[in-house]
Amino acid sequence: MSHLFEPMSLGNVTVKNRLWLGPMSQYSAQATGDHASEPNAWHFQHYASRSVGGYGMVVVESTAVTLEGRATPYCLALDCADKLPDFEQLVDSILMGGATPAIELNHYGRMASTRQGWMHSSYLAPDAPLGWLPVAPSPIPFTEDGAIPRELTDEDIWGVVRAYREAAERAIRAGFEAVVIAASGGNLLHQFLSPLANHRGDDWGGLFSNRIRLVLEVIDAVREVIGEHPLIVRMAATDWDAAGKGWRLTDAVELVRNGKEHGVDLWDITSGGIVPGVVQEAGPGYHVPLSDRIRRDTHAATSVGGKIISAGQAEQALLSGQADAVVAGRNALRDPYLARRWQSELDGVDSWPLQYWRGI
Ligand SMILES: Cc1cc2nc3c(=O)[nH]c(=O)nc-3n(C[C@H](O)[C@H](O)[C@H](O)COP(=O)(O)O)c2cc1C
């Protein structure tokens, strides 16, 4: 059997294989009304298809812990218990296909209040319909045309920690079996990590130990309410800042070392997002060397995605000990059944659901 399709123990869960669906925003929730920011028929079919498609874990897209933490007015949020019934239905649709249901909890900070991804996430001004003023560690806009975000006070920051705790507790109540905390893609937690976005002079900024403080506080708060369920941190391993003044791989290694004592089960390695317009000349598997370095230096478990385009490449990342699991992104949008196809390619196993038996 291939490494990719071996089960994996993580916290109190056994994930059936090591090829997972990464979080990908659908920007398809209602922006207003009784069911605003809740999953709907689009999400149910999208995630059910990927679960039937054979991914071991299905990570639901970025779900905001507060409404102001949404990237767009069409993003999901778990900011209150009223939303639980629709999230429970989403969990059921994933379980039905056999995957472990997980959810990414997020806060976009200064990257909030934009249009949908297919509108190039363009900035939505605070006074535009459905727009709002974003918050951030420091009053530094993400893009030049963006509003200057409101700097969070110490009290606000503890409010963010509380919002993560409460959203995580709701996620477990809805039936999710794993929680992903995102400190990546230029979002709020990543903004606190990076000296490029965090210019604070208090004990949430400046020194490395201050900049990682919010991430560690969020990890502790989430762990308190999720018990033995897997806690995964999606982390940018570098800002790719040419001047070397941003968040660097050596910082990422140090954070993972710290995170070990805080009980993180696995680190999902990505990169970039703090500096707009910095386009990484990314070849296939461009995060794999970052994951390799973190795994070697810390002995922490990692998963990795980013242009992993073939079954052989995914298998090689595991076989060579560069990661413990592989995360599929855009490939999985184009092909819900990618995991089944790769399993058949690597192991010669046709594991299609019985309902589809006559189609094989
Ligand atoms: C449409 C789309 C939406 C995405 N939304 C999220 C998201 O909600 N949260 C997140 O952490 N990453 C998000 N990503 C990043 C992906 O999870 C993934 O890391 C990235 O696409 C690189 O992997 P790939 O080369 O396999 O696509 C998104 C990517 C795409 C294409």
Side-chain angles (χ1 to χ4, degrees), residues 16 27 156 249:
K16 71 175 179 181
Y27 314 109
D156 293 332
L249 180 56

Side-chain angles (χ1 to χ4, degrees), residues 21-27 47 60-63 75 104 106 108 117-118 180 182 184-185 187 234 268-271 286-287 305-309 327-334:
L21 179 79
M24 278 178 289
S25 295
Q26 299 296 296
Y27 314 109
Y47 291 105
V60 168
E61 68 200 72
S62 177
T63 300
C75 288
E104 180 181 67
N106 210 338
Y108 273 92
W118 55 82
V180 178
S184 57
N187 72 357
R234 171 168 266 219
D268 181 30
I269 306 304
T270 66
S271 70
Y286 65 105
H287 289 139
K307 284 199 182 166
I308 295 195
I309 52 178
V327 173
R330 288 161 292 183
N331 274 330
L333 293 180
R334 290 190 289 267

Side-chain angles (χ1 to χ4, degrees), residues 21-37:
L21 179 79
M24 278 178 289
S25 295
Q26 299 296 296
Y27 314 109
S28 297
Q30 284 176 33
T32 54
D34 286 351
H35 292 277
S37 310

Side-chain angles (χ1 to χ4, degrees), residues 12 26 117 138 171 173 205 247 257 262 284 288 309 317 348:
N12 62 0
Q26 299 296 296
S138 302
R173 257 206 284 159
W247 177 253
R257 282 210 184 98
H262 294 255
V288 175
I309 52 178

